[in-house]
Structure formats: structure tokens, C-alpha cells
Amino acid sequence: IRESAALTRDVLEQHFNDLKGTLKKLLDERLMSLLQEVDTIEQESIKPLDECQKLIEHGVSTADDLLREGESAICGDVEQHNEKLCSFTKKALHIQLDSLPEVPSLVDVPCLSAQLDDCLLTILRNQIFRHGTVASRPPVQLEEFIEKPGAILVRWCKVDDDFVPQDYRLQYRKSTASHFEDVYVGSETEFIVLHIDPNVDYQFRVCARGDGRQEWSPWSVPQIGCTTLVPHEWTAGLEGYSLSSRRNIALRNDSQSCGVLYSKAPTYFCGQTLTFRQTVGQPDRRDSLGVCVEQQNGYDSLQRDKAVCISTNGAVFVNGKEMTNQLPAVTSGSTVTFDMEVVQLGPPSTEGGNFKLRVTISSNNREVVFDWVLDQCCVSLYFGCSFSYPGWKVLVF
């Protein structure tokens, strides 16, 4: 409680400090805009009046000069009197003393004033008093962490019956990191977080957005999840396949070479779920996705002994034999999952083996279930894939 309360105080103080800075900046910008508008109106409106004033002052100055010249002509001697009077008469004939420039009427002269609406303060006050809330309980909480090879399946649930969620938002970070990052936004209540380092603690938190709302709810209580399972990896170096940097994605390239791409080690254990997610290319009846007891080179497909697989057309093969049950064809973005559990471990059975696994293969919301009989105990298996044509890309987790 103390930790979340201290964090909430920090968030509130930071948020309102940011608001203060933003509001001051916006008010300063608005003030500057209005002042510039006043300057523009003043400059544009005063210009014709200034020009009119200059013309009037020039006319008055000219008339004053002419008046003084006339007075001088009258006061001089006879010769000077005639000469000055003649000059005065000529100037007087050329100067129009009875004309004035056009002066704008009073109604056309601007008179600036500031129009300020006091209701802005009332609106801001009402908005500010309603801004922000403090919630003691978030409407969603993390519910479960399930270990996956190099990944964690995170599940969450709604704990507020009155809250109607529209979307969820999941974030995570390494315990040594300072910032959370988004890993999922959507309507599902679970998500597999990939690229998780084994035996490393990660913090998770989730929030939700109410139906028709834009803002997110408070975050759930952060919880720590980790996985002890090493990530699945494809074997590097096989001609015909290119791998991602983490070696969990295999791409069938343009090479003419064909063969089965196996996992680096037998990292699939009974009781787990093995998932393939693929981008499709041109299908072929010999294509395969599946698991096997051991790596066997020299084959171009997992449709062989000691292996179970699904072809890209949906056919299921057990020890090289096609089953009558068939799944839908593999589509781009779809997932194929394998689940296995031990159902018999003991003396040899009538079927010739003393080890039996119950296998469930699922694809496109359909599944087949069968027993796989082996002559040796196998609790960890290799996985593999084979494709005849380029363009296929498979992510395994």
C-alpha cells in the first residue's frame, strides 16, 4: 500500500507540474498572438492617417511661408516692393490654399479594445476540479503465469463486476529495467510473451479501457513471472533454411536442397504444448511439421518411422502411415499445436511397444487425438519441419 501510494503521489505531482508548464506555455503563446494582432491593426490603420497629417502639415507650412513672404513684400521699398509683390503673386497663383486631403471619417477609424470572456475561468475551474481520480482497486488483475520454452503465457481477469472492458493492455520489463513497454493490446485475456530469457525475473502489469472510453484504467499490481525452460531453437547450418537471430524462426529459402530441419536439442517434453505458427508458401504432399524420437538424416520429410507430423494439406502421419482423420490445411498465420502425455509405461503390450503417448494435434479449431506406441521410453522429443518449396516461414514456441 505504501509503495503504491508513494508512486501515485509522484505520478500526480509530475502530471500536474506538466499541466502547469503546458498551460503557461499555451497562455503565453495566446498572449503573444493577440499582441501581434494589435500591432498589425495599429500599423495598418495609422498609416493613411499619418499620410493625411503630413499633407496637412505641409500645406500649412507652405501657406505660412507665403504669408511671411507677402508681409515682407509690403514692408520693402518701391523697387523691392514691386519685385517681391510680383514673386508673391506668382507663388500665390500656383498654390491651392483652399484644398485639403481627404480625411477618413470617424466611423472608419479603428478603436482597439481587448474582449476577454470571464467564463473561461469558470470553464477551466470546473474542468480542473473534475480532472483526475484516485482508484484504490484496478478493475483487472494478473491471474496466472505459465512457463513456456523461452516464453511466458500471461493470463489476467476482470475483478470489477461493474466494469465493461473494451481492450486490455499488457506491459512487461526485466526486473533490472526502469521502464515498462507494451507487449499486447487487444480484447483477449491471455497472451504468450516471447523472447523471454530463462531464469530471469520479469515484471508484468495490465490495465483495461472501458467500453466506449479513451482513457486506460489504473494498472494492476505488478507481479513477477519467469520461465526455467530454455527456448526452442532450430539447428543452424542446414542448406535450404535460413534462421532468425534467436533461431526460433526458420525460413525455407530458394535453395534446391531438401531435407528435414530438426531442433537443436530434444527440448519438447511431454506435458507441454508445442506450437508452430507459419507463413505459407506453395504446399506439397511431402511437407511436414511434427515431432520425432531422434534426428535421422537422409529423409526429406517427417512422414517416417518414430515420428508424428501433419502435412501442410492437413493429413496426419504416425510412424509414416497416414491416418484416416484429417485436419484443415495449414493457413498463413494459423497455429499448429502438439500436446502429449504418457499413458502407459510398463511391460510390452499386444501392440508391440511398452511406451505409449497420447497425442493431440490441433489446427484451425480442429483436433485429432490418438495413441503413439513406441518401443522405448521418451519424455523429451525433437521437433522438425520440411518444405519442398520456398516461402514457408515457421515460428516455434
Side-chain angles (χ1 to χ4, degrees):
I1 293 175
R2 290 192 178 96
E3 181 180 354
S4 63
L7 179 61
T8 301
R9 292 189 190 95
D10 292 341
V11 170
L12 288 172
E13 289 176 358
Q14 182 64 47
H15 177 73
F16 278 86
N17 285 333
D18 291 343
L19 279 180
K20 290 177 185 177
T22 303
L23 284 173
K24 184 180 184 306
K25 181 180 178 182
L26 292 174
L27 288 173
D28 289 343
E29 290 177 354
R30 181 56 179 164
L31 173 60
M32 186 61 65
S33 174
L34 291 172
L35 291 176
Q36 289 176 350
E37 189 175 345
V38 171
D39 293 341
T40 301
I41 295 175
E42 181 185 24
Q43 292 172 5
E44 292 178 351
S45 302
I46 205 70
K47 184 177 179 180
L49 294 176
D50 285 342
E51 293 176 351
C52 183
Q53 182 177 0
K54 288 179 181 178
L55 289 173
I56 294 174
E57 290 176 349
H58 177 69
V60 171
S61 175
T62 302
D64 188 54
D65 292 341
L66 184 62
L67 179 62
R68 283 195 298 270
E69 188 175 343
E71 291 175 347
S72 175
I74 295 173
C75 297
D77 55 26
V78 177
E79 286 188 16
Q80 290 181 344
H81 173 78
N82 292 332
E83 184 179 344
K84 290 180 178 180
L85 190 59
C86 182
S87 175
F88 169 77
T89 304
K90 289 180 180 179
K91 288 183 179 179
L93 292 174
H94 290 87
I95 296 176
Q96 295 180 350
L97 297 177
D98 59 346
S99 66
L100 287 174
E102 184 179 358
V103 179
S105 62
L106 189 60
V107 294
D108 295 330
V109 177
C111 179
L112 280 71
S113 63
Q115 305 297 310
L116 302 174
D117 191 350
D118 292 338
C119 72
L120 176 63
L121 292 176
T122 304
I123 295 173
L124 286 176
R125 186 183 296 110
N126 293 336
Q127 292 293 329
I128 289 172
F129 285 160
R130 289 199 299 266
H131 182 67
T133 58
V134 176
S136 60
R137 287 181 176 83
V140 291
Q141 291 285 6
L142 295 168
E143 183 179 32
E144 187 178 18
F145 297 99
I146 299 177
E147 293 184 61
K148 298 287 183 178
I152 299 176
L153 173 60
V154 184
R155 289 186 174 135
W156 54 89
C157 62
K158 183 170 70 76
V159 294
D160 185 351
D161 293 336
D162 297 329
F163 184 80
V164 180
Q166 174 179 299
D167 291 308
Y168 297 99
R169 180 182 180 188
L170 177 67
Q171 290 189 337
Y172 84 126
R173 69 178 179 186
K174 277 187 177 180
S175 293
T176 55
S178 56
H179 298 290
F180 283 91
E181 60 181 271
D182 287 340
V183 68
Y184 172 76
V185 175
S187 59
E188 300 295 328
T189 56
E190 66 177 34
F191 184 75
I192 294 180
V193 183
L194 302 175
H195 309 320
I196 295 293
D197 297 327
N199 302 308
V200 173
D201 287 342
Y202 287 81
Q203 277 193 329
F204 295 86
R205 65 182 186 180
V206 67
C207 66
R209 180 161 50 197
D211 190 20
R213 305 293 293 257
Q214 293 296 322
E215 69 276 6
W216 293 98
S217 74
W219 291 105
S220 66
V221 177
Q223 295 189 38
I224 293 178
C226 71
T227 181
T228 59
L229 305 176
V230 297
H232 292 318
E233 294 183 10
W234 299 102
T235 299
L238 180 65
E239 186 179 0
Y241 293 90
S242 305
L243 305 184
S244 64
S245 59
R246 288 181 174 263
R247 294 187 291 276
N248 60 340
I249 299 176
L251 172 66
R252 180 67 166 94
N253 55 35
D254 295 333
S255 173
Q256 297 299 318
S257 175
C258 62
V260 178
L261 177 66
Y262 292 101
S263 58
K264 182 179 178 181
T267 53
Y268 173 59
F269 291 85
C270 293
Q272 298 177 358
T273 297
L274 178 69
T275 303
F276 299 99
R277 183 178 296 156
Q278 55 282 318
T279 301
V280 301
Q282 182 180 343
D284 185 87
R285 56 182 296 273
R286 295 291 294 168
D287 294 340
S288 60
L289 284 167
V291 296
C292 57
V293 175
E294 58 191 7
Q295 297 181 356
Q296 291 185 11
N297 297 323
Y299 289 90
D300 62 356
S301 175
L302 282 174
Q303 299 172 19
R304 60 168 176 80
D305 189 36
K306 296 184 179 181
V308 294
C309 67
I310 176 176
S311 177
T312 54
N313 62 7
V316 178
F317 292 84
V318 182
N319 292 330
K321 297 180 180 179
E322 184 175 353
M323 295 182 61
T324 54
N325 292 335
Q326 186 167 334
L327 292 169
V330 174
T331 57
S332 188
S334 66
T335 59
V336 176
T337 62
F338 287 75
D339 291 275
M340 299 190 184
E341 59 177 333
V342 179
V343 293
Q344 181 178 320
L345 179 62
S349 67
T350 57
E351 296 173 308
N354 63 349
F355 188 73
K356 184 186 295 184
L357 294 175
R358 179 145 302 152
V359 181
T360 302
I361 306 177
S362 301
S363 176
N364 287 324
N365 298 319
R366 292 268 304 278
E367 66 178 29
V368 294
V369 181
F370 56 89
D371 289 340
W372 183 23
V373 180
L374 299 169
D375 56 6
Q376 64 189 88
C377 178
C378 293
V379 293
S380 64
L381 300 163
Y382 290 88
F383 56 86
C385 69
S386 65
F387 302 101
S388 301
Y389 298 101
W392 289 91
K393 183 167 67 174
V394 180
L395 165 68
V396 60
F397 58 92

